[in-house]
Amino acid sequence: QVQLVESGGGLVQAGGPLRLSCAASGCTFSRYAMGWFRQTPAKEREFGAAIGWRGAGTYYADSVKGRFTISRENAKNTVYLQMNSLKPEDTAVYYCAAKSHYTGTYYRRTDYDYWGQGTQVTVSS
């Protein structure tokens, strides 16, 4: 059973940084592509960033490109999301997701097989 546990969320001022972590267990982590999504009560869960299983390919939503960086440490079974220059509109619950098979895309919720429980990020203005 694949388990994903996010951490690192919290309250931060606009313009500040925050780093999220997602620890995976119950799987051969290096064989999974990983993604970060976010959701607010008013919106559908939306794609933020993804990284290929080798870490060579990274993909970002336009809304976070240039501010967020996704990375992974396969030896620690962990994927990170470094968020800089945070804005109040980045406030959301952030979810980590694991993708086990080829789908041709990285940005759809249905591309992913496993999800974490989420961690709240709140950016104050």
Side-chain angles (χ1 to χ4, degrees):
Q1 181 75 12
V2 177
Q3 290 191 322
L4 303 173
V5 179
E6 302 96 336
S7 61
L11 175 64
V12 63
Q13 286 192 328
L18 201 62
R19 189 175 84 154
L20 304 182
S21 299
C22 172
S25 61
C27 65
T28 304
F29 179 71
S30 60
R31 294 181 182 175
Y32 288 76
M34 301 297 294
W36 285 97
F37 285 69
R38 63 187 185 183
Q39 187 170 17
T40 66
K43 287 186 177 180
E44 299 264 331
R45 193 171 299 188
E46 64 177 17
F47 171 72
I51 187 166
W53 63 280
R54 288 182 176 178
T58 56
Y59 311 87
Y60 297 94
D62 288 343
S63 57
V64 308
K65 199 174 294 183
R67 300 187 300 122
F68 291 12
T69 302
I70 189 170
S71 62
R72 65 188 298 159
E73 237 180 306
N74 287 346
K76 294 186 176 181
N77 287 2
T78 301
V79 62
Y80 305 98
L81 186 67
Q82 177 66 45
M83 305 185 292
N84 296 328
S85 303
L86 281 161
K87 305 175 181 179
E89 51 264 43
D90 294 319
T91 295
V93 177
Y94 283 71
Y95 296 90
C96 170
K99 181 178 186 296
S100 67
H101 59 285
Y102 177 79
T103 62
T105 57
Y106 282 92
Y107 58 85
R108 301 178 303 176
R109 290 178 60 179
T110 54
D111 289 329
Y112 296 83
D113 305 290
Y114 304 99
W115 294 84
Q117 292 301 305
T119 185
Q120 176 70 47
V121 172
T122 303
V123 184
S124 64
S125 57

